[in-house]
Amino acid sequence: NHKRNITIMKPDWKDAPDWANWLTLSMHGQWIWSEAKPYFLGHFWHVVGGRAELAVQDINPIDSLEQRP
């Protein structure tokens, strides 16, 4: 279930910068905090105005391997 995996990997709002109002997942699998509301256009989230930064996660990719049940 993709939604379950996204939820597990999703950053916690308690770790968000004070200015962050939105959280989106990029097409490259990177979570991004943003101050302004992003919009989706042509396969990508775009943020106009305000700050945006990658939500750094303490997840080791080697721990992501999972076999289909």
Side-chain angles (χ1 to χ4, degrees):
N1 182 327
H2 292 291
K3 185 165 180 68
R4 179 181 58 84
N5 291 338
I6 288 173
T7 302
I8 290 169
M9 295 170 42
K10 184 176 135 184
D12 193 307
W13 276 99
K14 70 177 178 56
D15 299 321
D18 290 339
W19 52 262
N21 297 313
W22 302 91
L23 178 64
T24 56
L25 181 63
S26 78
M27 297 297 286
H28 302 289
Q30 297 172 311
W31 288 98
I32 301 169
W33 301 114
S34 61
E35 188 172 20
K37 184 177 181 179
Y39 64 95
F40 198 79
L41 178 66
H43 307 297
F44 297 100
W45 285 105
H46 298 269
V47 178
V48 176
R51 294 175 273 189
E53 71 177 41
L54 290 177
V56 179
Q57 297 183 52
D58 195 15
I59 296 173
N60 187 341
I62 198 139
D63 295 330
S64 67
L65 179 64
E66 180 176 296
Q67 185 176 11
R68 183 177 182 160

